[in-house]
Amino acid sequence: MFSKSHPEAEHQRLVLHEDPRSGNCYKIRLTAALLDLPIERVQYDIMLGDTRKPEFLRTVNANGRIPVLQVGDRFLPESNAACWYLAEGSPLIPTDRFSRADMLRWMFFEQYNHEPNIATLRFWLLFVGEANLGEHQRGQIMAKRAGGEAALGLMEEHLAGREWFVGEAVSLADIALYAYTHVCEAGGFRLRDYPGVCAWLRRVEGLPHYVAMD
Amino acid sequence: MFSKSHPEAEHQRLVLHEDPRSGNCYKIRLTAALLDLPIERVQYDIMLGDTRKPEFLRTVNANGRIPVLQVGDRFLPESNAACWYLAEGSPLIPTDRFSRADMLRWMFFEQYNHEPNIATLRFWLLFVGEANLGEHQRGQIMAKRAGGEAALGLMEEHLAGREWFVGEAVSLADIALYAYTHVCEAGGFRLRDYPGVCAWLRRVEGLPHYVAMD
């Protein structure tokens, strides 16, 4: 879709350190696919604590988290920062100054208001299992449900009359928000309550070079 | 310090919609000060629900939060996106591609791992008051204390042998992390446990045009 628009990235080996079940990891893989950038994948199992082991903490990410994008011999944690690195100079980042900042606005919204509610409930219900949750986690379910619904409601409102989150074209804002939105039902959210969001999900899925989550 | 490096911003009226007690709002004011950019301030009281009123939701931010940076007649929520808008083209954003993404990495870390722990405890203990916390909030204090200490510990480790978070100069990563770190003791954290962080706080405070939080 956007190949040949990112000369610097093409000359460095790109390795995604990931757990393929993670939407944060998938964001980076989707960004690379849309940009037609080859990316190697090294897989970890977060349920087995792979990313808390001393070797990982020392060499990949002292914060004990994935994804991490390896660029040559340098390591870049934080999914949205990695997407930014891959997409700089491509049409996935708007050229207008305000729109560029507005794209980042939705990416910060995603990490602050969306992911901690929607992705966390999916992780708890799909991977940990409701029966295995601790009392402290159970006590947070209602607040996270309300927070996630508020985030989806804000997205629905914003998408009224729009095709994409920022301007007239797909940007990293759409990719960042798509990752956990399209699998939110695994966290107990009902996508049919958000028809505008559903139509936007289909638009993302219709992009050339789109790849699905594993 | 960096004036005349941001031609577009100089021609638009900049208004910060803020509660001056908020570190997220202060980030934007500090960025504008370091860049010598004039910025108007409109103040709200989050304790009185000013940012949840219909007028605010309709005209300033449908997400009901501050800060919002108004640029002419457009509104930009999310503190770190607003800082990015102000600083584009200035030395507060590194010119090297990897460093720019690495700066964003620390800004996403700030919003995901730092602010929800450190700023929230400060808000609960300093403004809400421990006696007024609900049971659900009380149940989160220990996890937020541990999360905040982990964030400060990671900052301490990263700053060993470094003056700034990214590269050789102050960037938005430092401003974003400074805002709630320098007042973290109001949330019950002990800065003296992090001497490298304390030395870095003093470096930020020594920058030309630095302004203190109200």
Side-chain angles (χ1 to χ4, degrees), chain B residues 7-18:
Chain B
E8 188 180 340
E10 284 182 6
H11 296 292
Q12 303 239 30
R13 178 175 169 231
L14 298 170
V15 182
L16 174 59
H17 296 264
E18 67 164 352

Side-chain angles (χ1 to χ4, degrees), chain A residues 109-110 112-122 140-156 177 180-181 184 187-191 193-194 197, chain B residues 63 65:
Chain A
F109 164 82
E110 189 269 335
Y112 194 86
N113 286 126
H114 187 287
E115 203 267 9
N117 296 308
I118 293 173
T120 299
L121 283 186
R122 171 176 174 265
Q140 292 183 67
I141 289 180
M142 276 182 62
K144 287 188 182 292
R145 175 82 53 229
E149 286 172 352
L152 291 167
L154 192 76
M155 292 168 64
E156 181 74 13
L177 285 164
Y180 282 111
T181 302
C184 72
F189 297 94
R190 292 190 309 185
L191 273 173
D193 294 346
Y194 309 96
V197 169
Chain B
N63 199 21
R65 291 167 189 276

Side-chain angles (χ1 to χ4, degrees), chain A residues 8 63 65 74 77-78 80-81 84-86 88 97-98 100-101 104-105 108 111-113 115 136 139, chain B residues 8 63 65 77-78 80-81 84-86 88 97-98 100-101 104-105 108 111-113 115 136 139:
Chain A
E8 187 180 339
N63 198 22
R65 290 168 190 275
R74 294 178 293 183
E78 299 295 333
N80 288 345
W84 176 283
Y85 177 81
L86 292 178
E88 265 223 62
R97 179 179 181 153
F98 187 88
R100 214 159 32 235
L104 285 171
R105 163 261 188 118
F108 282 108
Q111 284 289 287
Y112 194 86
N113 286 126
E115 203 267 9
H136 175 64
Chain B
E8 188 180 340
N63 199 21
R65 291 167 189 276
E78 300 295 333
N80 288 345
W84 175 283
Y85 178 82
L86 293 178
E88 265 222 65
R97 179 179 180 154
F98 188 88
R100 211 157 37 233
L104 285 172
R105 164 261 188 115
F108 282 108
Q111 284 289 286
Y112 195 86
N113 288 126
E115 201 266 11
H136 175 65

